[in-house]
Amino acid sequence: MRKQGKAIAMISGGLDSTLALALVRRQGIEVKAVNFYTGFCITETQRRKGGRADGSVPRNEALRAAADLEVDIEYVDISGAEYLDMLVHPKYGYGANANPCVDCRVFMMRKAKEIMEAEGADFVFTGEVLGQRPKSQRRDTLRIIERDSGLDGRLLRPLSAKLLPPTLPELEGIVDRELLEAVSGRSRHRQMELAKELGVVDWPQPAGGCCYLTDESFAKKFFDVLDSREAAGEERRIVPEDVVLLSTGRHFRLSPRAKLVVGRSEVENALLEHHVPGRARLEAKDVLGPIALVEGEPTWEERMLAARIVARYGKGKDASRVAVEWREGELVETYEVEPERDEARVEALRI
Amino acid sequence: MPAPVRTLDTSGRLCPFPIVETAKAVRVLDEGAVLLVISTDAGIATDMPMWCKATRNEHLGTFRDGASWKSFVRKRAR
Ligand code: SF4
């Protein structure tokens, strides 16, 4: 007789984590799923902006996976200062963009360990696949994640378990190793077969790509914030408000001390309105145009430049002069400017 | 719809917080009691039925009401 066990599943809702969930569930193990909210999820942000470009509202895939397998799910909000600090100072460095995946996984697994202990569960498992991602899923990295999270021996990767040393729940007879898998690498062939075998019929297409930190243009804006704070003599850091603004609007670096953000849609304009305090708000006066914010301490020339760029993105773009209102706390001024027509100059400022 | 014992207004909160708050509210509800969740996040229409299925609570229905959505959830006996 096997011991009745309980496990904590870290799920994203992708195919791999759904399969891992199904593999553990079919062994009769009680599972509680957790999904971590980092604040950098592209799907969530799209939903905040009222859906995708085609008008559809993306599903919450982690919820969908838990619902399909009838597993209790809890959201854990990790988007606070501690997580942001990790993003700025990752011990194991970044992947291709602003994604410190190894540190991020360690961070999540530490939280999962706390939940495991609070729930009286025996182990934590994930949908990680050996060798699937160049850095964060190498054999040595999987080991680092297990060690640094403090989950030593209690972190199971059901999809690759047979290629990894046995974990404590396997040795203790809570999990039957024979019923786990030996998947590795980037090919999804075995996953497709398994989906059939386990009756998993629904998963998001295309796979992955939910995290802004892995996005190239987001990464540019992310490092721009850190670098310009440093250049202005401040500490390299990211605050929660930066996170919202980084995924909103067109960004222009005017100087290390000044940045311009221009809304690209009604929804973005409305979002920017929530972040006016502490910033200057720009809008063309007599013609329709975007809402824009200027952060920092712009010089006079930079103010004019910002106003010209704002004029350029409105209905007055072909006019010879556009009145742009500059509102900063109590101060309201109007600048009559010519819309900026130098394409190359605008592009050079674009972050 | 049965009369809710409590109404939770999550207006202005975005995914996944309407569900996070629903989970908290249901936890302290009596078994069989009905909770009404108001949300302005369109995702609630798909999230609430899925969350109820995952957590074995009963989804009685989610309806659009102007700019917001109303979801009725009955806490299941465990
Ligand atoms: S992709 Fe994003 S959420 Fe996933 S591990 Fe990397 S940094 Fe973390």
Side-chain angles (χ1 to χ4, degrees):
Chain A
M1 255 296 274
R2 268 198 293 128
K3 269 200 295 183
Q4 170 70 44
K6 182 169 179 182
I8 303 298
M10 272 186 49
I11 63 166
S12 63
L15 177 59
D16 292 340
S17 63
T18 310
L19 291 174
L21 200 55
L23 281 171
V24 172
R25 283 287 290 140
R26 78 162 172 190
Q27 299 206 15
I29 294 161
E30 185 187 345
V31 175
K32 173 169 185 144
V34 293
N35 180 248
F36 291 102
Y37 173 74
T38 64
F40 291 92
C41 177
I42 296 176
T43 313
E44 274 153 8
T45 309
Q46 277 177 341
R47 285 179 46 158
R48 285 164 188 231
K49 294 192 181 162
R52 298 196 182 95
D54 64 6
S56 63
V57 177
R59 294 187 299 185
N60 183 324
E61 295 294 347
L63 255 187
R64 198 259 325 133
D68 283 353
L69 290 150
E70 303 202 353
V71 167
D72 192 6
I73 181 164
E74 184 176 326
Y75 280 97
V76 183
D77 182 359
I78 56 168
S79 66
E82 207 190 331
Y83 185 79
L84 295 176
D85 191 51
M86 176 279 291
L87 290 185
V88 178
H89 307 286
K91 185 169 160 196
Y92 298 102
Y94 297 99
N97 294 299
N99 51 316
C101 291
V102 179
D103 293 85
C104 177
R105 301 298 285 181
V106 170
F107 193 99
M108 291 177 177
M109 302 293 178
R110 278 196 192 131
K111 299 281 167 204
K113 177 175 184 266
E114 286 169 21
I115 297 167
M116 174 185 94
E117 285 162 358
E119 295 276 333
D122 304 285
F123 66 100
V124 172
F125 68 95
T126 72
E128 287 163 307
V129 170
L130 185 63
Q132 189 179 67
R133 293 201 201 171
K135 185 167 174 191
S136 63
Q137 299 188 351
R138 284 195 322 236
R139 187 178 289 273
D140 53 335
T141 333
L142 291 184
R143 175 67 200 125
I144 287 173
I145 295 171
E146 182 185 339
R147 186 194 63 205
D148 284 18
S149 65
L151 272 170
D152 242 312
R154 303 227 165 258
L155 179 51
L156 180 73
R157 281 87 173 206
L159 288 169
S160 298
K162 284 180 173 166
L163 302 172
L164 297 167
T167 58
L168 290 171
E170 291 163 273
L171 297 171
E172 289 164 356
I174 296 167
V175 178
D176 184 348
R177 185 175 172 90
E178 284 317 302
L179 293 172
L180 301 176
E181 289 293 312
V183 184
S184 72
R186 302 182 72 98
S187 154
R188 322 252 310 155
H189 182 73
R190 177 64 190 139
Q191 280 97 315
M192 295 299 163
E193 273 178 14
L194 256 181
K196 264 207 198 100
E197 279 173 47
L198 296 167
V200 170
V201 292
D202 194 3
W203 61 84
Q205 292 290 354
C210 180
C211 176
Y212 269 121
L213 297 166
T214 62
D215 180 89
E216 199 182 332
S217 71
F218 187 91
K220 262 199 221 154
K221 295 183 216 166
F222 175 89
F223 289 119
D224 168 77
V225 169
L226 298 185
D227 294 345
S228 37
R229 286 210 169 119
E230 193 175 1
E234 291 173 38
E235 195 196 334
R236 284 176 80 84
R237 67 194 175 96
I238 287 276
V239 298
E241 207 176 2
D242 294 328
V243 179
V244 181
L245 289 174
L246 284 178
S247 59
T248 306
R250 298 182 176 87
H251 290 226
F252 302 90
R253 172 58 58 194
L254 306 173
S255 76
R257 293 192 169 276
K259 180 165 90 168
L260 168 70
V261 181
V262 184
R264 288 173 295 196
S265 65
E266 286 293 314
V267 179
E268 286 196 342
N269 288 342
L271 222 150
L272 292 179
E273 296 278 20
H274 289 290
H275 298 276
V276 171
R279 299 183 173 80
R281 176 192 183 281
L282 282 69
E283 187 180 9
K285 271 184 87 167
D286 307 312
V287 284
L288 273 177
I291 304 288
L293 300 179
V294 170
E295 286 188 343
E297 298 153 24
T299 61
W300 176 252
E301 285 75 27
E302 287 156 10
R303 283 172 185 243
M304 290 301 109
L305 179 57
R308 288 207 306 276
I309 295 175
V310 171
R312 163 197 174 87
Y313 286 107
K315 287 266 180 276
K317 64 179 188 296
D318 299 318
S320 59
R321 309 279 305 158
V322 172
V324 174
E325 184 188 82
W326 180 287
R327 198 177 268 273
E328 201 174 347
E330 299 289 288
L331 171 100
V332 185
E333 291 180 348
T334 301
Y335 304 141
E336 293 276 342
V337 295
E338 184 189 347
E340 180 61 51
R341 300 188 210 281
D342 186 344
E343 196 81 39
R345 181 171 194 206
V346 174
E347 273 317 301
L349 295 171
R350 186 85 184 255
I351 312 164
Chain B
M1 281 295 134
V5 295
R6 198 186 147 195
T7 299
L8 173 70
D9 189 350
T10 69
S11 296
R13 305 237 50 200
L14 295 155
C15 164
F17 293 103
I19 292 292
V20 171
E21 288 174 21
T22 300
K24 277 192 202 140
V26 168
R27 203 168 301 150
V28 296
L29 225 55
D30 290 336
E31 287 175 5
V34 173
L35 175 73
L36 164 59
V37 182
I38 299 175
S39 172
T40 48
D41 178 2
I44 196 81
T46 50
D47 288 358
M48 193 58 89
M50 292 194 296
W51 181 80
C52 287
K53 181 158 188 269
T55 54
R56 289 173 210 86
N57 288 295
E58 192 180 349
H59 178 241
L60 301 171
T62 295
F63 310 95
R64 188 163 189 163
D65 180 13
S68 55
W69 280 260
K70 285 183 168 165
S71 268
F72 292 83
V73 176
R74 190 199 302 278
K75 178 164 176 170
R76 275 269 170 92
R78 291 281 152 132

